[in-house]
C-alpha cells in the first residue's frame, strides 16, 4: 500500500519551465500562471525566449523558458533563482543549470536524454549519471513515453501525441502545487475548438500528468501556497501583462478624452502585441493601421492627430530611429501624439526578445534641431495602464508628442491588477477650436494658452479656421512661414518652455527612518528589483531610502533638492548610465551608477549586495 505524499506549506515558490522553442513552454507557463492568479496568489512572471522563429531543435540557442514566482504575500519580482526547474531536454537543463541553487528540484524528460541530444549541448556523458546533478533533487520522468501511452487510443500519430507532453508536465506541476484544473481544461477546449481531437488529446495528457503525480511514489512531497489575501486592495482583480495593460490604458484614455483612438504601427518585437490587442477593440472606436514601415506608421498617426484623433504609434528601439524625423515634425506642429517605445536589447536589431533601458537618451535627444519631448516610464506591468493615461493627459493638455518608455520585461511579464472603476479615471476631455480667436475675425493657430503654452487644436474643415501647417518654421501666432532669426529663436524657446512647464507630481521618497544617508533612485522596470533589494537591506538593519521616477522629462520640481539631501545617490539602470548622466548634468550631483546590459532584469539579491556596499561607503551602516 502506497503512502500518501506529505503536503508541505510554503510562503513562496519560483518555478521555471524550460524546453525547446517548439515544446510549448510559454503556453505551459501562461496556463500555470492563469490558474495561480485565479487561486489568489500574488505573482510575477518572466518569459524568456529566442528571437528566431525556430532555432535548431535541441540546441542551446533554441531554449525557451517561462519563470513564475507566486506567493502568499506581496511580491515584486519573478524571483532570482528557481526552486524547481522542468527541463524538457538536455539543452534546457544545461542552459538553466547555473541558475539553480543547491537543493533545487529538477524534473527532466528522460526520453530526450539520448547520446545525440547530449552531444548537441556538449555533454559526453549523461549528467544524471555522472554526479553533475548530485546537489539537486532530481525527478527523472519519461514524459514523452507516458504522454504517448496516455494517447494511444486517441488516433493521433506518435509525432502529434508527443506534442502534448507539455500538458503532461503541466498536469504534474498542477498536482504538485495543488493548482485548480478546471480552467485549463476549459481553455484547451476553447483553444482547439476547431480540432476537437486535439482538444481531447491535450486534456487527456493534462489529466495523465496530474494522475501520475497522484499515483506514483516518485514524489514524496506536494506543496501548498495559500492565497495572498492581504496583498490585494478590495475590488476585482485579474492577471495582466504590460502590453495588455498598456493597450487597455490607451483605450481608456481615448474614452475619457471623448476621442477616437488611432494606432499607426509597424510590427516589431516586443511591441507587436499592442497592435494585436487594439485591433480587437473596434467597438470602442479604435482604428488600427498596420503600415508598410515605421515611417508610414507614425505618419498616419500624426495625420490622425491633425484630424482630431488620439494618435498613437508603437515600436521598439530601431523603430524609434526611423520615426525620429516625424517626431520632430510633431514637435514643430505641436500636435498630441503618443510614441510608445517597448525597449529591447540593442544596438540595431540587437536582442529583440530581451529587455534593456537603453533608449532613454534616444527619446530625450534623438532628433535634429531643438525638439524637446516629454518622457515617462511605467514601473510595473500593471502600471502600464496608468502610465498610458498619464501620457495621454500630457499629450492632449500640452499639444505635444510624448514618449512612453516601457520595455520587454514589463511587456511580457505579468502580475495581478485591480480593475479600476471608470469614475476613478481622470477626465481627459479636450476642447477643439470652434471659432476665430482674433478680434478681426481671423484664426491664429499658434495663439497659445498662457498657462500651458498649448496652441489651439482645430479640426480640419472647421469653417473659418483655415490655417497653415507644415515643418518649416512658423511665425509666432499666425503660423505663417517665417525665416526671421528672432522669430525662430522665440519659437524654439517657446516649445522648450512648454515642455519644461508640464505639471508633474513631486518625487515621493520612501525613507521610513528619516535618517538614511543613501538614496537608491530608479526608473522604469527596475522598480521591482530595487524595491525588493531595499527591503532585504532594511530587514538586515540598513537605513536606506528609495525613490522611483515616473517622469524623466521634465523631472519633478523637487528632484534636485531630494538628490542633495543624501550623502550618496545610487542609480541602478539596464544601460550604461543614461539617467545618471542626465542627473549629473542637470543637478551637478555625483550620483553613483550601477549598470547591467545582459538582456535580463536585475536580480534583487545582487542589487542588495551593491546597496550594502554603497551603504558602507557612507559610513552609516
Amino acid at each position: 500500500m502506497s503512502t500518501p505524499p506529505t503536503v508541505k506549506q510554503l510562503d513562496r515558490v519560483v518555478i521555471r519551465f524550460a524546453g525547446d522553442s517548439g515544446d510549448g513552454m510559454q503556453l505551459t507557463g501562461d496556463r500555470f500562471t492563469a490558474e495561480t492568479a485565479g487561486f489568489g496568489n500574488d505573482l510575477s512572471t518572466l518569459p524568456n525566449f529566442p528571437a528566431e522563429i525556430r532555432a535548431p531543435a535541441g540546441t542551446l540557442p533554441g531554449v525557451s523558458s517561462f519563470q513564475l514566482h507566486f506567493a502568499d504575500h506581496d511580491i515584486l519580482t519573478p524571483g532570482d533563482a528557481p526552486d524547481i526547474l522542468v527541463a524538457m531536454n538536455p539543452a534546457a537543463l544545461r542552459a538553466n543549470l547555473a541558475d539553480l541553487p543547491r537543493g533545487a528540484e529538477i524534473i527532466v524528460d528522460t526520453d530526450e536524454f539520448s547520446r545525440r541530444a547530449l552531444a548537441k549541448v556538449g555533454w559526453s556523458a549523461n549528467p544524471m549519471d555522472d554526479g553533475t546533478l548530485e546537489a539537486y533533487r532530481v525527478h527523472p520522468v519519461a514524459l514523452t513515453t507516458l504522454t504517448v501511452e496516455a494517447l494511444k487510443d486517441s488516433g493521433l500519430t506518435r509525432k502529434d501525441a508527443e506534442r502534448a507532453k507539455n500538458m503532461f508536465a503541466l498536469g504534474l506541476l498542477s498536482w504538485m502545487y495543488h493548482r485548480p484544473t478546471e480552467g485549463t481544461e476549459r481553455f484547451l477546449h476553447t483553444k482547439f475548438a476547431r480540432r476537437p481531437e486535439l482538444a481531447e488529446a491535450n486534456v487527456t495528457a493534462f489529466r495523465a500528468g496530474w494522475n501520475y503525480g497522484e499515483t506514483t511514489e516518485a514524489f514524496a512531497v506536494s506543496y501548498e501556497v495559500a492565497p495572498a489575501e492581504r496583498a490585494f486592495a478590495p475590488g476585482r482583480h485579474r492577471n495582466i501583462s504590460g502590453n495588455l495593460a498598456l493597450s487597455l490604458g490607451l483605450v481608456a484614455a481615448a474614452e475619457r478624452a471623448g476621442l477616437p483612438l488611432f494606432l499607426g504601427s509597424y510590427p516589431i518585437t516586443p511591441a507587436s502585441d499592442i497592435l494585436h490587442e487594439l485591433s480587437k477593440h473596434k467597438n470602442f472606436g479604435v482604428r488600427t493601421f498596420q503600415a508598410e514601415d515605421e515611417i508610414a506608421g507614425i505618419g498616419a498617426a500624426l495625420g490622425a492627430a491633425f484630424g482630431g484623433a488620439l494618435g498613437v504609434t508603437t515600436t521598439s528601439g530601431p523603430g524609434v530611429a526611423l520615426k525620429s524625423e516625424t517626431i520632430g515634425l510633431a514637435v514643430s506642429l505641436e500636435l498630441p501624439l503618443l510614441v510608445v517605445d517597448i525597449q529591447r536589447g540593442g544596438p540595431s536589431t540587437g536582442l529583440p526578445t530581451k529587455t534593456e533601458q537603453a533608449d532613454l537618451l534616444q527619446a530625450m535627444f534623438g532628433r535634429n534641431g531643438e525638439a524637446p519631448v516629454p518622457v515617462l516610464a511605467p514601473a510595473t506591468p500593471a502600471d502600464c495602464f496608468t502610465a498610458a493615461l498619464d501620457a495621454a493627459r500630457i499629450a492632449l493638455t500640452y499639444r505635444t508628442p510624448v514618449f512612453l518608455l516601457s520595455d520587454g520585461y514589463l511587456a511580457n511579464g505579468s502580475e495581478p491588477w485591480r480593475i479600476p472603476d471608470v469614475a476613478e479615471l481622470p477626465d481627459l476631455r479636450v476642447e477643439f477650436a470652434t471659432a476665430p480667436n482674433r478680434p478681426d475675425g481671423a484664426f491664429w493657430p499658434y495663439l497659445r494658452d498662457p498657462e500651458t503654452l498649448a496652441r489651439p487644436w482645430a479640426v480640419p474643415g472647421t469653417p473659418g479656421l483655415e490655417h497653415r501647417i507644415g515643418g518649416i518654421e512658423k511665425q509666432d501666432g499666425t503660423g505663417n512661414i517665417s525665416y526671421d532669426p528672432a522669430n525662430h529663436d522665440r519659437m524654439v524657446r517657446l516649445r522648450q518652455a512648454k515642455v519644461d512647464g508640464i505639471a508633474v507630481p513631486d518625487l515621493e521618497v520612501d525613507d521610513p527612518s528619516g535618517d538614511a544617508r543613501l538614496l537608491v533612485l530608479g526608473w522604469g522596470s527596475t522598480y521591482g528589483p530595487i524595491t525588493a533589494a531595499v527591503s532585504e537591506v532594511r530587514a538586515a538593519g540598513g537605513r536606506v531610502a528609495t525613490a522611483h521616477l515616473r517622469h524623466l522629462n521634465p523631472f519633478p520640481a523637487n528632484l534636485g533638492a531630494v538628490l542633495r539631501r543624501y550623502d550618496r545617490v545610487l542609480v541602478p539602470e539596464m544601460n550604461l548610465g543614461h539617467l545618471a548622466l542626465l542627473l549629473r548634468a542637470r543637478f551637478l550631483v555625483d550620483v553613483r551608477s550601477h549598470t547591467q546590459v545582459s538582456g535580463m532584469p536585475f536580480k534583487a539579491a545582487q542589487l542588495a549586495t551593491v546597496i550594502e556596499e554603497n551603504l558602507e561607503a557612507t559610513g552609516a551602516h
Side-chain angles (χ1 to χ4, degrees), residues 343 355-359 407-409 523-526 529 571-578 594-602:
Q343 300 167 95
T355 194
E356 206 164 271
Q357 290 182 301
D359 292 347
D407 63 38
Y409 173 35
W523 69 279
S525 68
T526 58
V571 179
E573 296 181 82
M574 293 188 294
N575 55 47
L576 293 184
H578 290 205
H594 177 71
T595 62
Q596 172 179 300
V597 281
S598 63
M600 297 294 286
F602 284 113

Side-chain angles (χ1 to χ4, degrees), residues 24-44:
M25 292 297 94
Q26 303 306 316
L27 174 63
T28 306
D30 278 340
R31 285 315 312 161
F32 197 94
T33 300
E35 295 305 315
T36 297
F39 185 74
N41 294 122
D42 195 12
L43 63 89
S44 179

Side-chain angles (χ1 to χ4, degrees), residues 72-85:
D72 66 0
H73 57 278
D74 185 24
I75 55 173
L76 298 161
T77 74
D80 286 356
D83 299 303
I84 182 166
L85 170 70

Side-chain angles (χ1 to χ4, degrees), residues 550-568:
R550 153 92 79 200
H551 297 277
L552 298 149
N553 191 35
F555 285 131
N558 68 334
L559 179 57
V562 169
L563 296 178
R564 295 185 187 97
R565 193 186 308 164
Y566 294 91
D567 292 348
R568 179 173 288 218

Side-chain angles (χ1 to χ4, degrees), residues 364-372 488 492:
M364 288 287 295
F365 306 117
R367 292 165 294 283
N368 67 297
E370 297 286 356
H488 178 58
V492 167

